[in-house]
Amino acid sequence: MIIVSKDKQRIVNFDYVIYIYIDPNELSIKVDFSNAKGYELERYSSKQDVLTALEMLCDAINGKSNKFEMPTNKQVKAKQADMLRVMELQDTAIFDTAFAEQEVKNI
């Protein structure tokens, strides 16, 4: 798989990556290569943005994708909004189920 930078100016061959991690400053995703050299894959504006981008990268790796483009800040924010909507729907479904069960007990 290849990983393309947000600005479309850099490509990383994932076959040579041995380690992916969040930099201690918590604002960038870094990779280490088999030749022991490290590289900042991408930088984001917040720790939450980094975590979301890393999750998106992991999804691409697990999906056996041939190409992954590091998400832009706008794409990260959209993914976070989607995740929030899913969590809200799950909370609503749990509440509705609990409410329905309580109604059945009251009958």
Side-chain angles (χ1 to χ4, degrees):
M1 176 172 75
I2 61 168
I3 302 170
V4 181
S5 65
K6 289 191 293 188
D7 63 6
K8 312 283 189 272
Q9 300 296 312
R10 296 167 283 138
I11 295 175
V12 171
N13 185 341
F14 188 72
D15 293 341
Y16 298 102
V17 172
I18 59 169
Y19 191 57
I20 302 172
Y21 59 99
I22 296 174
D23 187 80
N25 70 21
E26 299 182 343
L27 294 178
S28 63
I29 299 172
K30 291 194 171 187
V31 294
D32 287 345
F33 296 101
S34 54
N35 66 1
K37 291 188 178 188
Y39 178 74
E40 182 177 271
L41 190 57
E42 207 59 75
R43 178 172 287 276
Y44 292 92
S45 57
S46 73
K47 181 179 180 181
Q48 186 60 44
D49 291 355
V50 171
L51 292 171
T52 302
L54 185 61
E55 180 180 343
M56 294 168 79
L57 175 57
C58 289
D59 289 346
I61 293 167
N62 288 334
K64 309 259 190 286
S65 181
N66 291 328
K67 177 183 172 187
F68 178 75
E69 293 185 15
M70 291 302 295
T72 63
N73 293 334
K74 185 177 181 179
Q75 291 168 320
V76 166
K77 296 297 184 194
K79 174 73 171 180
Q80 290 169 344
D82 288 344
M83 291 168 39
L84 185 59
R85 277 192 291 277
V86 168
M87 289 173 31
E88 288 170 350
L89 288 173
Q90 289 172 341
D91 287 346
T92 301
I94 290 168
F95 176 78
D96 289 347
T97 302
F99 182 75
E101 288 173 357
Q102 186 62 36
E103 288 294 309
V104 169
K105 288 180 186 177
N106 290 337
I107 293 178

